Amino acid sequence: MKNTVNAKIEFTDGKVINLELYPDAAPITVANFVKLCNEHFYDGLCFHRVIDRFMIQGGGFVFDQRRGLVQKEAAQIKGEFKSNGVANPIRHEKGTISMARTNVKDSASSQFFICVADTPHLDGEYAAFGKCADEESIKVAVAYGKVKTGRWQYYSDIPLEPIIIKTITVED
């Protein structure tokens, strides 16, 4: 991709995932993600869904020791992917960052996931908007994908040891 925006996810355990975001492929999604990062929306949120050999998902919940997962709301945006009328060439390969959504195509808001394996069945159905910028970042994502998980209320695949975002910064 010609145009890139660099971002860095810092976790409370000291680990880092560096990202390259591609506004040419998903301008609405990248603008929304950058806006939320600059507003510190993601600070303190957790990765609440982790599935080995698939993806790690975060950006929508705070983990509270007493109450469990507490949702943090954000405005919904248009889903930028083929089945929603948008030509987005980014494939869901290991290291790709993409927007999570419900069955409603324009329901993405703040939650995102990072693929920890190639997941071509997601191509054209979810708004991929970047990739891990280096091999070490992919290794961190894959390692998080292997943590032990459990259930809480009606949520499953929750890390038993919370994976907490300290902050996400965007380079201008």
Side-chain angles (χ1 to χ4, degrees), residues 15-104:
K15 294 184 174 111
V16 170
I17 294 178
N18 295 303
L19 301 167
E20 282 185 350
L21 310 178
Y22 306 130
D24 291 344
I28 296 167
T29 305
V30 171
N32 181 65
F33 186 78
V34 167
K35 174 184 164 286
L36 293 173
C37 292
N38 289 338
E39 292 172 350
H40 300 279
F41 177 91
Y42 293 112
D43 295 8
L45 299 185
C46 66
F47 273 69
H48 66 279
R49 186 171 176 233
V50 169
I51 303 173
D52 190 22
R53 295 181 303 279
F54 180 40
M55 60 89 220
I56 59 174
Q57 181 176 330
F61 291 89
V62 173
F63 180 79
D64 181 281
Q65 289 288 359
R66 228 172 0 98
R67 299 181 295 160
L69 294 175
V70 178
Q71 190 163 11
K72 187 173 181 181
E73 299 283 340
Q76 294 180 349
I77 59 172
K78 175 173 178 60
E80 295 177 296
F81 45 89
K82 186 177 181 179
S83 74
N84 204 27
V86 177
N88 181 335
I90 304 171
R91 302 177 82 99
H92 287 84
E93 300 167 332
K94 182 164 62 170
T96 297
I97 182 170
S98 190
M99 290 304 289
R101 63 176 179 85
T102 66
N103 289 333
V104 176

Side-chain angles (χ1 to χ4, degrees), residues 138-168:
I138 293 172
K139 286 180 183 175
V140 169
V142 169
Y144 280 143
K146 296 185 179 306
V147 301
K148 291 190 185 293
T149 61
R151 293 185 57 79
W152 179 77
Q153 290 186 344
Y154 46 84
Y155 297 105
S156 58
D157 306 309
I158 300 170
L160 298 180
E161 273 300 310
I163 300 169
I164 308 217
I165 299 168
K166 179 178 177 184
T167 193
I168 306 177

